[in-house]
Amino acid sequence: MADSCCPPSDAFDQTRAVDERYGAAAHAQEACLCTPVGFDPELLRVIPNAVVERDYGCGDPTRWVRAGDRVLDLGSGSGKNAFICSQLVGADGAVIGVDRNVEMLALSRGAAAQVAEAIGYNNVQFVDGSIEALDAPIGDGTPLVAEESVDLVLSNCVLNLVNPSDRERLLANIRRVLAPGGRVAISDIVCDQVVPQHLQDDPDLWSGCISGAWEESAFLDAFRRLGFEQVHYADRSQDPWREVEGIEFRAVTLVGDLPGSSGCCP
């Protein structure tokens, strides 16, 4: 087992490993989760420190948000990215954060009123759900996120945490919820080789955004197959973030747009 910065687990369970680690990280900052980057301090000023400190990401997908956008933040965590988006889209836009972690949802929901008061409007909601199951019915039978209801899907170091068996459903749902001309901005960890099974079976490496990483070219191809155009890495770290058994892991931000949009770049 590779060196880890969280305690070893007795048995491997991907979902449990992720929920336990991020649940704990909602209460106390864990410096070794992902590889956070800097954000515009002016956008952070209205966000509570606890939210900012307990955000775990590897890029800044909010750079691709436009005024008036309807934004879906997959794996919204503490809510930092969603609260940044709320300011960028303005009062005419809307932001939905989806997360299944109870502790993270409590943190983001608890900060929503304070942020709304500071910016003068409330355009953010945080919903409880798995990001691969956006089509799951809620109380009235409608899906968690409606079809063609979103202009931009973004995520920050979360897609790699989804079980491989659920990836096709995740991708299909990203495509389903986007309106014509919709865009994606996905910051995540990719690798230069396919991760072998014994590393995928390590709960510390999985929950640490490492062994669930997509192979770099396969990540691009997955979005191209969905029909996105101009798919490319707008950001890609030159040096590896981590190296495990000769496999290099890097932070990237993938962008792309569906036909009919005016482009994916800021």
Side-chain angles (χ1 to χ4, degrees), residues 9-24:
S9 303
D10 296 330
F12 175 65
D13 181 318
Q14 291 163 326
T15 300
R16 179 179 177 184
V18 171
D19 286 351
E20 289 183 350
R21 190 165 187 179
Y22 280 82

Side-chain angles (χ1 to χ4, degrees), residues 172-191:
N173 267 306
I174 290 174
R175 180 65 179 82
R176 181 186 63 82
V177 301
L178 278 168
R183 297 117 55 213
V184 289
I186 309 293
S187 295
D188 222 293
I189 300 297
V190 298
C191 51

Side-chain angles (χ1 to χ4, degrees), residues 55-79:
D55 171 75
Y56 306 101
C58 56
D60 181 7
T62 67
R63 289 167 48 206
W64 282 268
V65 174
R66 300 173 183 165
D69 270 345
R70 298 166 296 171
V71 176
L72 175 63
D73 181 9
L74 299 179
S76 50
S78 72

Side-chain angles (χ1 to χ4, degrees), residues 62-249:
T62 67
R63 289 167 48 206
W64 282 268
V65 174
R66 300 173 183 165
D69 270 345
R70 298 166 296 171
V71 176
L72 175 63
D73 181 9
L74 299 179
S76 50
S78 72
K80 186 184 85 173
N81 288 268
F83 291 133
I84 290 172
C85 290
S86 72
Q87 300 170 71
L88 296 172
V89 301
D92 293 332
V95 182
I96 300 174
V98 177
D99 206 290
R100 70 168 188 239
N101 189 283
V102 174
E103 289 86 355
M104 285 294 187
L105 283 170
L107 183 58
S108 60
R109 288 170 171 171
Q114 180 177 337
V115 174
E117 182 177 0
I119 65 177
Y121 53 85
N122 182 5
N123 62 355
V124 183
Q125 62 173 315
F126 296 99
V127 299
D128 184 356
S130 298
I131 65 171
E132 65 271 22
L134 303 176
D135 54 349
I138 53 178
D140 59 358
T142 60
L144 185 68
V145 179
E147 183 175 351
E148 297 187 354
S149 63
V150 174
D151 300 306
L152 175 68
V153 172
L154 62 77
S155 184
N156 201 344
C157 212
V158 178
L159 267 60
N160 70 81
L161 299 174
V162 173
N163 294 359
S165 61
D166 292 324
R167 283 183 174 176
E168 289 304 315
R169 185 182 183 188
L170 168 67
L171 291 167
N173 267 306
I174 290 174
R175 180 65 179 82
R176 181 186 63 82
V177 301
L178 278 168
R183 297 117 55 213
V184 289
I186 309 293
S187 295
D188 222 293
I189 300 297
V190 298
C191 51
D192 65 345
Q193 305 172 45
V194 175
V195 178
Q197 192 63 47
H198 74 278
L199 293 182
Q200 292 188 42
D201 289 341
D202 185 320
D204 295 347
L205 291 178
W206 190 278
S207 63
C209 302
I210 298 173
S211 61
W214 301 57
E215 190 275 325
E216 189 166 342
S217 62
F219 198 41
L220 293 168
D221 289 342
F223 284 87
R224 289 172 178 145
R225 288 195 301 271
L226 289 175
F228 287 93
E229 299 176 345
Q230 304 181 48
V231 177
H232 65 282
Y233 290 132
D235 293 316
R236 179 183 181 274
S237 59
Q238 181 175 357
D239 298 323
W241 166 55
R242 290 284 300 274
E243 185 171 335
V244 180
E245 296 188 7
I247 304 172
E248 295 182 350
F249 296 84

